[in-house]
Structure formats: structure tokens, C-alpha cells
Amino acid sequence: MPTASPTVNTTLPIGPHAVQPPVVLAPMAGITNAPFRTLCREYSGGKGLFVSEMITTRALVERNEKTMQLIRFDASEQPRSIQLYGVDPATVGKAVRMIAEEDLADHIDLNFGCPVPKVTRKGGGSALPFKRNLLRAILREAVAGAGDLPVTMKMRKGIDDDHITYLDAGRIAVEEGVTAIALHGRTAAQHYGGTADWEAIARLKEHVPEIPVLGNGDIWSADDALRMVRETGCDGVVVGRGCLGRPWLFADLVAAFEGRPDGYVRPTLREVADAMVRHATLLGEWIGDQSRGVIDFRKHVAWYLKGFAVGSEMRRRLAVTSTLEELRAGLDELDLDQPWPSGADGPRGRTSGNNRVVLPDGWLKDPYDCAGVGEDAELDTSGG
């Protein structure tokens, strides 16, 4: 078990908020809703920063019903953190001002890292930093509209190895008043394949020493998080796929940064089963329908059971349950005394890579021209 090094800073300043330890839950579509954030926060003892699913600025401004539900925070969530996606500076500005004026959140993160085609084909997410002037315009509108709220951004290295943008984007962010930057050490073309480039995180930290830099990519354990901080000099870590089906990873992260290796969580299958039922229950309460909550939970089943001796037929049964009773009954048929499997700490979630990035026509012709990007490029639904 690792122990915290004296060289590791255990507090991350995000505007007026001191995030301690410097650990952030990455926004993940369909995952980091209020129920999952509640679970992660409970395991962490309320420590760290937990960010909402991606909220599209157009949907927020139009007060889309689903979007308004996605930005509902539990009373215990402090600070309240929203991630916004937008392509049109004016729409982004309206959304940020709405958040500030209506006290909808305490922190705003801007998404420039999403690599999925429905986002990049509009020029958004990880495609957008290639257009330097557009990036600057969006950041300027966001910071101006946020008032006292801190604005951060999350990005990737670039579109592909021939179109690397993160150093230029980092400098623009500093100049426009962004509070902190998170860098996923992959290009959009890599999606989640290959190995994250932690050296790029180190270079960004050297390039923008004025503000905190957070590292993201291939943090599968608390040991990985400490190693990233030590090797790159980054000010904190952003954890995404590593906590899928494993919300107690945040207990490990807190313990690691506080130098308490005895605080690591290694649950038995019985404890995992209890967490699964609680997760599904919270989803049902949040949605307002128990059955829909269990159905939404289905995507998590394989992640929770990773590494345990559970037959394929039982895994299939558990992944099609529709009620809490069915879920609990299926879990009770397992050998619940199984200890935490040694192989369950490794990679999980999507691993595909080397994808062609879908971009608007002519997007790569000029890194500064952003003509033709406007309100019609905005997505109208939230959640990725």
C-alpha cells in the first residue's frame, strides 16, 4: 500500500473552494448523476469534488426538463459542480450567467474533451480547442458571465497526433481567467485506447504554472493517483473509468493522500452486493420510479462484479432485472463470502482506440477561422 509523500500537495484550490484531497470525479455521461455522486461522496467522507454529467448549454438555457433534473444536487453536495458543453460563445455565456444568477452551482467546468462523434461532428468537445479563437471567445464569455464562480476546463491533448492543441489551449485558458485545467493524456482519436500520456500532463504543468493542472487518464488505483502527482507535478487527479462499479475507490484515494494505507477498502462480494442494491435504490428514488431505477442500474452490473466468480448465466440474469427484489434475490444466490479479487483493480470501462474523429467539413483547414459556428451547432440534450 502506498503512503503519501511529503511532496504531494493535498489541497487543490478551485477558486474559493479548497478541495482536499485533490481528487475529482470525472463527468461521465449516464454515470455521474446524483445517485452515483452520493455513493462516491459517502465513501470519501465528503472529501473531494464530484462533477455532474455533461450539461449542454442550449438545453440549460431552454430549461429542458431532463437537463433541469440532471442539475439537481443533494443538499450535502458542497461545492455543487456542473460541467457544461457548448460550441456557441453567446449560448455558453447565457448558460453560465443563468447558473450564477439563479445560484444553480458553485463551480463550472467546461467540456473540451469529449471524443464521441455526435459532439465532435458539431465542432464541440475535443474538436473545439483546434479553433483557437473560438476557444478564447467561449472562455471569455464563460468567465465574464460566471461572476465570482470559478470556471475550469477539461480537455485532451488534441484531435490526433498531427493536431496537438493542449499547450496553446492551456495558455489561452490562463489569459482568459480560467481557474484550473484538467488534461486527459490522450487525443480524441485515441478515445480510451492505448496508454495515457502522462508526460503531456507534466509539460502542461510547466507551460501554465500560474494555475492548477489536474491529470486524467489510467488512474485505476490510489497508487496510480499518487504516482501521477509525483511523476508529473500536477496539482490533482481526475478519476473516471477507474471508479466504475467501484465507488469505494474514493475512500482509497482519500486514505492514500492522507497517508493512511489502513483506510483502503477491499470489500467482500457481500459488501459489493449491498452497494449494488443501494445504488439501484438511489437511482429509483432520483428518477421517481423503482423499476426505472433498476433498469438504469443494469449498465453497472458487470463493473461491480468484475473479477468475482460469478457465472455468465447469473451475470446475464442480474443484468436484466427490473425490480429491487429480483436484483437482491439474484445476488443472494451468489457466494457472497468471496473476498475482493486481486484482478479487480485494473482497467475497466471502454478501451477502444484509433478512431477516426468525425469533424465538421473543413474543420482542419484553418485553426483560427471559426466562421459558421453558431447556435445551430449546439446540442439540445444533456448527458452526453
Side-chain angles (χ1 to χ4, degrees):
M1 297 297 183
T3 56
S5 163
T7 62
V8 173
N9 184 3
T10 58
T11 301
L12 170 69
I14 301 293
H17 309 294
V19 179
Q20 189 174 20
V23 173
V24 179
L25 169 64
M28 291 181 283
I31 305 295
T32 58
N33 46 38
F36 188 70
R37 297 197 306 269
T38 293
L39 278 179
C40 295
R41 197 171 62 255
E42 287 176 351
Y43 280 106
S44 78
K47 299 177 180 179
L49 181 66
F50 303 90
V51 187
S52 76
E53 295 182 65
M54 185 180 81
I55 304 299
T56 66
T57 52
R58 175 181 165 189
L60 181 60
V61 169
E62 294 177 354
R63 299 184 184 271
N64 171 275
E65 183 178 355
K66 176 187 174 183
T67 294
M68 298 311 288
Q69 181 192 27
L70 289 176
I71 63 170
R72 280 168 37 199
F73 292 92
D74 184 84
S76 63
E77 293 192 70
Q78 296 294 329
R80 300 163 299 166
S81 181
I82 285 180
Q83 189 187 66
L84 293 180
Y85 157 83
V87 179
D88 173 46
T91 306
V92 172
K94 290 176 185 176
V96 169
R97 285 191 294 275
M98 177 178 167
I99 292 170
E101 292 169 2
E102 298 182 22
D103 189 27
L104 299 178
D106 306 301
H107 160 236
I108 297 168
D109 184 57
L110 297 175
N111 182 312
F112 300 114
C114 182
V116 302
K118 82 169 189 176
V119 168
T120 59
R121 70 163 46 97
K122 296 286 190 177
S126 52
L128 197 145
F130 181 76
K131 297 293 190 180
R132 274 69 164 178
N133 290 342
L134 178 59
L135 175 67
R136 185 181 296 278
I138 288 175
L139 295 179
R140 184 168 296 179
E141 285 286 338
V143 171
D148 294 332
L149 299 183
V151 175
T152 61
M153 61 183 276
K154 187 170 185 286
M155 63 181 179
R156 286 180 173 241
K157 290 170 55 181
I159 292 174
D160 53 34
D161 289 339
D162 295 323
H163 302 90
I164 298 297
T165 57
Y166 72 99
L167 294 179
D168 283 355
R171 180 47 49 193
I172 291 169
V174 169
E175 293 169 357
E176 295 303 328
V178 168
T179 301
I181 304 172
L183 176 64
H184 185 156
R186 288 181 170 89
T187 63
Q190 286 180 277
H191 276 220
Y192 300 94
T195 302
D197 180 5
W198 288 10
E199 290 184 8
I201 297 168
R203 288 194 293 273
L204 180 63
K205 179 59 188 173
E206 294 172 353
H207 193 65
V208 292
E210 302 95 329
I211 61 176
V213 169
L214 293 84
N216 176 223
D218 294 352
I219 297 178
W220 309 114
S221 68
D223 190 18
D224 291 333
L226 291 185
R227 185 165 56 87
M228 176 183 278
V229 172
R230 290 174 180 142
E231 291 182 7
T232 70
C234 67
D235 301 283
V237 297
V238 178
V239 180
R241 293 174 297 149
C243 69
L244 294 174
R246 197 164 52 138
W248 49 86
L249 177 58
F250 286 92
D252 293 0
L253 289 161
V254 170
F257 277 98
E258 293 181 353
R260 296 183 295 99
D262 58 342
Y264 279 62
V265 177
R266 291 295 178 267
T268 63
L269 183 53
R270 187 180 310 278
E271 293 167 318
V272 170
D274 289 342
M276 293 171 71
V277 173
R278 173 155 171 72
H279 191 169
T281 301
L282 289 171
L283 280 166
E285 293 172 351
W286 181 65
I287 294 171
D289 183 299
Q290 183 193 95
S291 180
R292 288 177 57 203
V294 175
I295 291 171
D296 189 77
F297 175 73
R298 291 173 177 175
K299 68 171 80 78
H300 299 270
V301 169
W303 296 324
Y304 273 106
L305 297 180
K306 179 180 171 65
F308 285 104
V310 179
S312 58
E313 176 58 26
M314 178 56 76
R315 288 175 184 269
R316 189 201 65 77
R317 264 183 58 192
L318 292 170
V320 296
T321 52
S322 299
T323 69
L324 288 173
E325 291 75 20
E326 288 178 2
L327 178 63
R328 182 78 263 184
L331 291 169
D332 284 344
E333 292 183 31
L334 304 178
D335 174 11
L336 295 177
D337 292 325
Q338 292 181 56
W340 179 252
S342 59
D345 286 331
R348 49 185 58 213
R350 295 168 292 184
T351 57
S352 61
N354 298 318
N355 297 272
R356 183 179 70 86
V357 183
V358 182
L359 299 168
D361 291 340
W363 190 254
L364 297 177
K365 288 182 178 178
D366 187 335
Y368 297 98
D369 176 35
C370 53
V373 176
E375 292 184 5
D376 59 341
E378 291 281 325
L379 296 178
D380 60 358
T381 56
S382 296

